[in-house]
Amino acid sequence: MGELFAQFDVWSAFGQTLYLAFFSAIGALIIGTILAIMRVGPVGIFNKAGAAYVNLVRNTPLTLIITFCLIALHYQLKIYLAPEDSPTSIVDNGVRWAIVGLTVYHAAFVCEALRSGINTVPTGQAEAARSIGLTFTQSLREVVLPQAFRGAIAPMASVLIALIKNTTVAYAIGVAETAAFMRDGLEFRPDLSFLIFVLVAGFFVLLTMPLGIALTHLSQRLAVKR
Amino acid sequence: MAEPLVVLSGVNKHFGDLHVLRDINLSVDRGEVVIVIGPSGSGKSTMCRTINRLETFESGSITIDGKPLPQEGKELAQLRADVGMVFQSFNLFAHKTILDNVTLGPIKVRKKAKAAAEKEAMALLERVGVAHQAQKYPAQLSGGQQQRVAIARSLAMEPKVMLFDEPTSALDPEMINEVLDVMIGLAKDGMTMIVVTHEMGFARKAANRVVFMADGQIVEQATPEEFFTNAQSNRAKDFLAKILTH
């Protein structure tokens, strides 16, 4: 074990995974919420646009989306997310495009998790909200979404767990995260392959299992009694 | 004579091929209590819901206090604030306390200060007899208590007219009267009310007029006394024979 940590920068790989997961999760939550509002709102064109986004993105492999971000958007179209002339430009652009790809992809799943939450809110709740004179936005903010978020915690936990594990796809575009460490480790220290597998698996389980347990607990505690 | 508060004229609505509202004309004066009865599927609930545009309609017009019903958006929200609605299934906001259910509209729509809204809400909860439950959540209350809270929530908006869509149909029999008593009190205080109900006792005690609907049409209207003893149309006689024999 000590050998591995001496030979490879395991901690920075783990750190990179956490970094990717944290910012992608925030991005996916924001964009996913906007998409969900578009899909349930009264404006037909937004409904269609939201549905088109979800269907396109959800049915595309994540590897494709992330490589598309780096190769098509960054290399081909020269879109820089980090300054071109900075010494860490290549690394920074890789990481940021990976976050964009992860965000875009998981936003579709967040949207659907939220919509399943919204479906747990009876239509009468929105009708009552409108009948006391709340506008569409107010009735979403005050009545529908607070209940929808609670109903969405359990499906959202699955999305977050998937997101954390899916950060490993960033290794396809050369981000030095946990899967990249695993590849290097297996290549240069095949004698330690079992240890490497166990270490990486352990890291992810340690990250995702408490999250799953906490969110399940939270969803039970906050459940709206009807 | 002042103009009527609520006027429906020539209102038509379809659900697909089904013509649920056929050329509805109805006007309700200030302070009037109108009961709408009729067999299920006659369009009475739909009519009630078109008045605050929870249901759309295709042709005709509805005016409230002289103003035509706006299509969507802020204006419609403003109009709905003036039209109270009490639902069959109460529809209290499940994630908010009883007190917060009542103060939400006054704070968010009427822009009242929280303290003032809460004081008024407590007075209203007192009036409907559930003030001691103010900090509980809707699921902790009985159906009758929830429906009385729903009435208080509507009253908090100081509505010009209140719509009741079968307010006692989802209640256990022993809870019906506690809700009807509150409604009778409102009627006595001069609230304009349109009530879809099968409670004939309430109709006799509190209503100024009974409107009988069948197949999406208003078949006849009369005072409760006249309607229950001397209905004119065969549809109404048939309906009354079915419900009054029990």
Side-chain angles (χ1 to χ4, degrees), chain B residues 22-126:
Chain B
R22 297 168 189 256
D23 204 26
I24 299 287
N25 293 292
L26 178 72
S27 61
V28 178
D29 288 323
R30 269 161 233 280
E32 198 179 11
V33 176
V34 173
I35 303 296
V36 184
I37 65 171
S40 67
S42 60
K44 51 195 193 308
S45 279
T46 308
M47 182 185 80
C48 187
R49 289 162 56 86
T50 55
I51 295 174
N52 69 352
R53 226 171 192 288
L54 285 179
E55 298 284 350
T56 56
F57 52 94
E58 287 124 30
S59 62
S61 75
I62 299 179
T63 61
I64 290 169
D65 209 3
K67 278 181 269 178
L69 221 50
Q71 284 287 322
E72 263 304 330
K74 285 225 159 55
E75 280 172 59
L76 181 60
Q78 269 163 18
L79 177 131
R80 281 185 179 134
D82 290 335
V83 181
M85 176 105 187
V86 175
F87 300 87
Q88 181 176 348
S89 47
F90 331 133
N91 294 344
L92 292 181
F93 306 130
H95 63 306
K96 288 188 180 289
T97 63
I98 296 308
L99 184 63
D100 290 343
N101 262 272
V102 181
T103 57
L104 181 65
I107 291 172
K108 296 290 166 187
V109 181
R110 300 283 191 228
K111 310 291 179 201
K112 283 188 182 160
K114 189 161 183 272
E118 284 184 350
K119 194 161 165 256
E120 287 169 27
M122 286 310 294
L124 284 169
L125 289 172
E126 192 72 52

Side-chain angles (χ1 to χ4, degrees), chain B residues 5 97 113 122 175 177 210-211:
Chain B
L5 186 58
T97 63
M122 286 310 294
M175 293 172 185
N177 278 334
V210 173
V211 169

Side-chain angles (χ1 to χ4, degrees), chain B:
Chain B
M1 175 88 197
E3 61 174 327
L5 186 58
V6 180
V7 181
L8 289 80
S9 68
V11 172
N12 279 284
K13 178 181 177 66
H14 291 79
F15 280 134
D17 287 338
L18 187 68
H19 199 168
V20 279
L21 294 180
R22 297 168 189 256
D23 204 26
I24 299 287
N25 293 292
L26 178 72
S27 61
V28 178
D29 288 323
R30 269 161 233 280
E32 198 179 11
V33 176
V34 173
I35 303 296
V36 184
I37 65 171
S40 67
S42 60
K44 51 195 193 308
S45 279
T46 308
M47 182 185 80
C48 187
R49 289 162 56 86
T50 55
I51 295 174
N52 69 352
R53 226 171 192 288
L54 285 179
E55 298 284 350
T56 56
F57 52 94
E58 287 124 30
S59 62
S61 75
I62 299 179
T63 61
I64 290 169
D65 209 3
K67 278 181 269 178
L69 221 50
Q71 284 287 322
E72 263 304 330
K74 285 225 159 55
E75 280 172 59
L76 181 60
Q78 269 163 18
L79 177 131
R80 281 185 179 134
D82 290 335
V83 181
M85 176 105 187
V86 175
F87 300 87
Q88 181 176 348
S89 47
F90 331 133
N91 294 344
L92 292 181
F93 306 130
H95 63 306
K96 288 188 180 289
T97 63
I98 296 308
L99 184 63
D100 290 343
N101 262 272
V102 181
T103 57
L104 181 65
I107 291 172
K108 296 290 166 187
V109 181
R110 300 283 191 228
K111 310 291 179 201
K112 283 188 182 160
K114 189 161 183 272
E118 284 184 350
K119 194 161 165 256
E120 287 169 27
M122 286 310 294
L124 284 169
L125 289 172
E126 192 72 52
R127 179 169 164 192
V128 299
V130 282
H132 57 296
Q133 316 268 27
Q135 297 308 326
K136 289 190 181 169
Y137 285 87
Q140 296 170 286
L141 269 60
S142 73
Q145 290 170 332
Q146 288 192 52
Q147 193 62 300
R148 284 183 281 149
V149 173
I151 293 172
R153 177 175 69 180
S154 285
L155 284 174
M157 299 303 293
E158 296 164 18
K160 292 173 180 165
V161 51
M162 284 183 74
L163 310 172
F164 293 80
D165 185 7
E166 304 207 27
T168 57
S169 301
L171 294 175
D172 292 335
E174 75 270 24
M175 293 172 185
I176 290 175
N177 278 334
E178 64 190 54
V179 172
L180 290 181
D181 286 344
V182 170
M183 290 169 62
I184 290 168
L186 282 180
K188 289 208 173 105
D189 291 346
M191 176 62 75
T192 310
M193 296 162 69
I194 299 173
V195 186
V196 176
T197 186
H198 291 294
E199 295 297 330
M200 300 304 153
F202 174 74
R204 283 175 196 270
K205 261 187 227 166
N208 300 107
R209 180 159 42 125
V210 173
V211 169
F212 176 73
M213 282 183 78
D215 301 324
Q217 284 172 305
I218 293 181
V219 179
E220 65 176 286
Q221 335 186 10
T223 62
E225 202 46 47
E226 204 177 305
F227 180 78
F228 289 122
T229 54
N230 188 23
Q232 300 298 305
S233 65
N234 287 333
R235 285 299 310 255
K237 282 180 197 165
D238 189 40
F239 177 75
L240 286 173
K242 279 179 187 147
I243 60 165
L244 294 179
T245 47
H246 295 291

Side-chain angles (χ1 to χ4, degrees), chain A residues 28-108:
Chain A
L29 282 174
I30 294 170
I31 296 178
T33 306
I34 295 170
L35 284 169
I37 292 171
M38 283 169 69
R39 289 201 74 175
V40 301
V43 186
I45 180 106
F46 285 163
N47 297 166
K48 290 207 180 79
Y53 179 101
V54 168
N55 285 321
L56 179 73
V57 169
R58 190 171 58 166
N59 296 305
T60 309
L62 175 59
T63 315
L64 187 150
I65 291 176
I66 286 192
T67 44
F68 173 85
C69 283
L70 191 80
I71 292 172
L73 298 179
H74 181 52
Y75 292 160
Q76 198 85 47
L77 297 179
K78 306 278 181 228
I79 304 173
Y80 282 84
L81 294 182
E84 192 178 350
D85 48 8
S86 96
T88 55
S89 172
I90 294 174
V91 171
D92 288 350
N93 274 296
V95 169
R96 288 176 192 186
W97 277 112
I99 290 174
V100 169
L102 286 164
T103 296
V104 162
Y105 180 76
H106 291 93

